[in-house]
Structure formats: structure tokens, C-alpha cells
Amino acid sequence: MKKGVMRPGHVQIRVLDMDEALKHYVELLGLIEVDRDDQGRVYLKGWTEVDKFSVVLREADEAGMDFMGFKCLDESVLDNLHEGLKAFGCAVDEIPEGELKDCGRRLRFTAPSGHDFELYATKQQTGKWGVGNHNPEAWPRGLQGIKATRFDHCLLYGTDLDKTLDLFRDVLGFDLAEQVVTPDGKRVAQFLTASMKAHDVAFIDHPEPGKFHHASFFLETWEDVLRAADLISMTDTSIDIGPTRHGLTHGKTIYFFDPSGNRTEVFCGGDYHYPDHEPVTWDADKLGKAIFYHDRQLNERFLTALT
Amino acid sequence: MNNNNQAHPDTEVPTVHHIAVNDQPQGFPASSDLSVLVAMERAGQQLISVGCRGGGCGKCRIRIVQGEYFSKRMSRAWISPQQEDEGTVLACRVFARSDLVIEPDPPEIGTHCQPQDQPDCD
């Protein structure tokens, strides 16, 4: 049942070198730099996003994800979810308004998977980049590279998938849209949605908590994914796999790495989910096909190159 | 694949060094403007595991037994300051400045899923 969580709102990613990272996220991926803060963090967004920012880069000596934030309907939802998180047993940090520029207060907690998540309800709305909301044109000129339209989801590797599902489903109101299950009934992958999208966040079972697999950005068409692949080659960017299709969610995809080793995905298409849909289930012995629908083989790097 | 790794401080004309791998008969040439890992890939060899090529995932960890090199920032998740001092590095973030002798030192990365053709998960 929906609890007022709307959508993935932001992700803060650690990079080893900010200048190199900006070449990746701005010049190649096509996000737009919208601000910087006195901690040296750089704020970015995809051109279709109405909120001020969705990706925050922080220079650090270790790659990976600091946290992922979900935007909620309003401040009263935050108060309700705060109670729910406490009742579930999560320690919740209240981060004051303005710690991220032009973002309201945030509730930060650690999921059983070992990842930090945040809920917030208020962020400055600067509108889509380059187009208004009154008789708008189809798209703005002046976009760079892959022209990523928006931040879509993260895939995270971590521990205790069952308890993580309990938290996201029962406390935060996500649905289980898709899963991978072993013959003895253990869930080793879970794709969760708070919307109609096939996933807003996904988890894969992993012995080490809190690992980051990728942040994903949405493109409109398969032609856009192919063009992304061309740009990845033109720039000699480190590629992981693709262009290909996933079995899980059936999205069409390509994976590549930022210059600090954090994986980026751009994709198009994919299934949809309504609250009355049963979860889609893949058997673990079909994991190769579930992840790479055409190759039907997992590559070892996809499972173990994590930050 | 360079991930902008060519943007390093050495502005001289690139020179080619030989990378020898301990206990392996074959080595490979490495131009000083390419990371040791990318040089290995361009030589068509698989002596070191290839991951992200960006200093983040740790899969290409090696020890440099002998030789001079320049290194860029590597994730502290895989290389401690002490290891860095002792020549343990990520091959995707080091550039040869002389012939090198290296040995692979890949970290143990556990997984609950197996990358075989029809994988089983525990």
C-alpha cells in the first residue's frame, strides 16, 4: 500500500577526482551542472527533471554511494514515515534543511542491506532544463553527449534482502515488482517500485553490506542507447556490457564506468507495475538470461565489480 | 579504454616499457601514457583481472615488485596508505616510468551468485 513515497529523488556518489567525474557525468552522460556547495560537492540533473538536482558528486578517497534519497508527497508524510521507521527499529538521523542546497529536511536511515537512504519532501523546483511548462517544446537544444533525461534508479548489492523488503514494502509502501528465487525459496534479487516503473530501487544478495552496483538514467529509445554506445567508444570510456536487453524488467541497456569505477547505466523501455500485479519471478538457474537476455550468460565482472 | 587516464602530469612523448609478470613467461609492452591495465588489454592479454578500470572496484590489484611508476588516486577500500607505500596498487591507476615486474594480487570478492552458464545461487 502506498505510503506517500513518490520517486527516487537523488543519489550522492563518491568520486576520486571531481574534474574527471564531471567529464563523465556532464560531457558524456549529458547531465547539467546546476550548483556547487562549500563542501566542494557538485549538483547535477537530467534535463526533464523538475526538481533542482538529482545527482550529487562528492570527491573522496573511496568510490561508491553515500546515500540514495526518495522524495515524498509532503512534510506530513515524512512525520508519519519517521514513526514507521522508528517502530521498525531503524535509527533515524534528521538532517536539517539546507545541508544539501535548496533541499528541505531529510530523514536518513540505514537499511538492513547496509545502504543509507533518505526521505525528504521539499526541494527547490527549477523546472525542466531549457523548456518551460506552458506550451513547451519537445526538447531543448544545447544538451551534451548521451543527453540522459533523468535519474531513474539504483541497483545495490548487500545483505539481508528479506528484512530490506519488509522495510521498503511495509514501512515505505513499495511493491515487489520482480524477483529472482533459488529452488529452496531464497530470494537473491528484488526489484522494488513506489510507482508504475519496473523498479525505483533494486537489491542483489551479496555477502558484504552497502555495496553500489550502478546508478541508472533513462533514455527514450533504443536508438538513443545505440548512440550512447557510440559515444562511449568515441571517448574510449571503460565499458562493462551492452547494448543488450535485460530479462528482468526487459529494459534495453548499456553499462559503463565513471572514471572512479562507479558503474553507470543508461536504458530505455522496460515493463510497468501496478499495485495489483503479482511479482514477476525468475528462477535462479535462469539468472544468466534474467540479467542478459541475449547472451544468457553472466559475466563475472557484473557480479563482482562493485564500489 | 582510458577513462581519461591519459590526463596525467607527464607531458613528454610517451615511451614504451616492458611489464613482466612474476612466474609468467609472457609480459606485455606498456606505453607511459596508458595505465598498466589498459596496456595489457591492448596487448590482448589476460594476466590481470579487469573490472571498472577507474580505481574503484579493486579487481586489478597488483604488487609492483620492481620498477618506477606514477599512480593516480585509488579507492581506499582496496589500497591502504601502507599498501600503497609498499607497492600494492590498482593496475588501472598506475603508469609505467620504467620496465616493471609485477604480480597479481586480486582481493577476495565474495558473491552469492555464480557466473557460470546456468548459474546456481546459494
Side-chain angles (χ1 to χ4, degrees):
Chain A
M1 193 182 73
K2 299 281 187 251
K3 299 282 180 72
V5 176
M6 270 197 298
R7 61 167 176 265
H10 54 236
V11 59
Q12 182 165 307
I13 297 171
R14 296 187 298 270
V15 299
L16 301 175
D17 182 302
M18 186 61 77
D19 292 338
E20 286 186 357
L22 289 173
K23 283 199 173 87
H24 177 89
Y25 288 98
V26 174
E27 292 177 23
L28 176 61
L29 186 56
L31 299 182
I32 295 137
E33 180 178 333
V34 293
D35 211 342
R36 297 187 179 217
D37 67 21
D38 53 15
Q39 295 180 42
R41 293 182 295 188
V42 180
Y43 297 59
L44 311 171
K45 70 183 279 181
W47 72 267
T48 69
E49 293 175 302
V50 296
D51 284 355
K52 177 171 170 175
F53 64 87
S54 60
V55 174
V56 181
L57 302 178
R58 179 173 75 87
E59 191 170 288
D61 61 10
E62 193 173 315
M65 183 186 86
D66 279 334
F67 53 80
M68 179 183 182
F70 294 97
K71 192 176 191 192
C72 301
L73 277 170
D74 57 38
E75 294 290 335
S76 68
V77 165
L78 278 194
D79 294 329
N80 293 338
L81 293 176
H82 195 168
E83 292 308 310
L85 287 167
K86 282 196 292 191
F88 187 81
C90 284
V92 180
D93 278 342
E94 275 223 52
I95 297 167
E97 175 185 352
E99 196 278 336
L100 279 171
K101 266 189 170 178
D102 298 311
C103 184
R105 67 184 172 119
R106 291 131 65 203
L107 303 179
R108 166 106 40 102
F109 58 95
T110 305
S113 63
H115 301 91
D116 284 351
F117 291 98
E118 302 183 342
L119 305 173
Y120 68 96
T122 306
K123 190 184 278 181
Q124 186 188 355
Q125 291 209 315
T126 50
K128 293 182 183 180
W129 184 84
V131 292
N133 59 5
H134 185 206
N135 303 327
E137 302 299 348
W139 41 264
R141 283 178 280 191
L143 294 169
Q144 296 191 71
I146 293 170
K147 306 181 185 180
T149 65
R150 58 173 160 82
F151 169 51
D152 189 88
H153 65 268
C154 288
L155 173 59
L156 306 170
Y157 277 40
T159 47
D160 210 340
L161 260 52
D162 285 340
K163 209 162 167 217
T164 302
L165 175 61
D166 290 345
L167 171 65
F168 274 81
R169 185 183 51 203
D170 302 341
V171 179
L172 303 178
F174 284 65
D175 287 327
L176 176 64
E178 203 146 348
Q179 60 183 345
V180 179
V181 178
T182 63
D184 55 3
K186 181 178 157 129
R187 202 175 334 90
V188 293
Q190 55 196 22
F191 288 61
L192 311 180
T193 182
S195 64
M196 272 184 68
K197 289 160 52 202
H199 47 359
D200 285 316
V201 63
F203 296 92
I204 287 186
D205 186 41
H206 189 71
E208 195 182 343
K211 302 301 283 185
F212 180 58
H213 189 272
H214 70 259
S216 184
F217 299 85
F218 189 74
L219 300 179
E220 208 171 342
T221 67
W222 174 235
E223 189 73 19
D224 292 336
V225 176
L226 188 74
R227 189 175 161 282
D230 292 340
L231 284 160
I232 289 163
S233 274
M234 281 179 207
T235 51
D236 270 337
T237 297
S238 176
I239 190 162
D240 188 16
I241 194 159
T244 184
R245 183 196 283 278
H246 288 305
L248 285 149
T249 77
H250 296 125
K252 288 152 275 186
T253 177
I254 185 166
Y255 288 96
F256 51 113
F257 292 100
D258 82 6
S260 306
N262 299 301
R263 196 184 272 93
T264 303
E265 177 188 36
V266 290
F267 80 106
C268 69
D271 300 329
Y272 63 88
H273 182 90
Y274 278 105
D276 64 337
H277 288 191
E278 285 293 314
V280 171
T281 300
W282 288 82
D283 296 331
D285 66 357
K286 301 288 189 299
L287 190 61
K289 190 172 185 175
I291 296 189
F292 300 121
Y293 188 66
H294 300 143
D295 277 359
R296 284 162 273 151
Q297 284 190 17
L298 273 180
N299 69 18
E300 197 250 351
R301 179 168 61 215
F302 195 80
L303 290 175
T304 58
L306 306 168
T307 57
Chain B
M1 283 144 275
N2 63 23
N3 257 8
N4 303 311
N5 278 348
Q6 284 163 343
H8 64 87
D10 186 358
T11 54
E12 289 174 13
V13 177
T15 49
V16 177
H17 303 291
H18 181 75
I19 314 298
V21 182
N22 254 354
D23 306 322
Q24 297 279 345
Q26 74 272 49
F28 55 90
S31 177
S32 58
D33 61 345
L34 292 179
S35 75
V36 168
L37 187 73
V38 169
M40 179 204 74
E41 288 190 279
R42 293 203 182 169
Q45 299 208 13
Q46 300 179 327
L47 299 161
I48 309 166
S49 301
V50 179
C52 70
R53 306 183 187 89
C57 81
K59 292 182 73 73
C60 67
R61 196 167 71 185
I62 58 172
R63 268 190 301 275
I64 299 190
V65 181
Q66 194 182 309
E68 302 297 314
Y69 57 94
F70 162 79
S71 63
K72 296 170 66 169
R73 195 174 202 172
M74 299 169 277
S75 178
R76 285 281 175 242
W78 305 107
I79 307 288
S80 70
Q82 188 190 347
Q83 284 175 309
E84 192 171 342
D85 289 345
E86 292 167 0
T88 297
V89 295
L90 300 179
C92 65
R93 301 289 276 183
V94 296
F95 300 78
R97 290 289 173 270
S98 74
D99 291 352
L100 300 179
V101 179
I102 66 171
E103 49 187 41
D105 181 26
E108 289 278 322
I109 301 173
T111 174
H112 284 155
C113 301
Q114 305 302 317
Q116 279 104 36
D117 296 0
Q118 292 295 320
D120 285 310
C121 291
D122 24 307

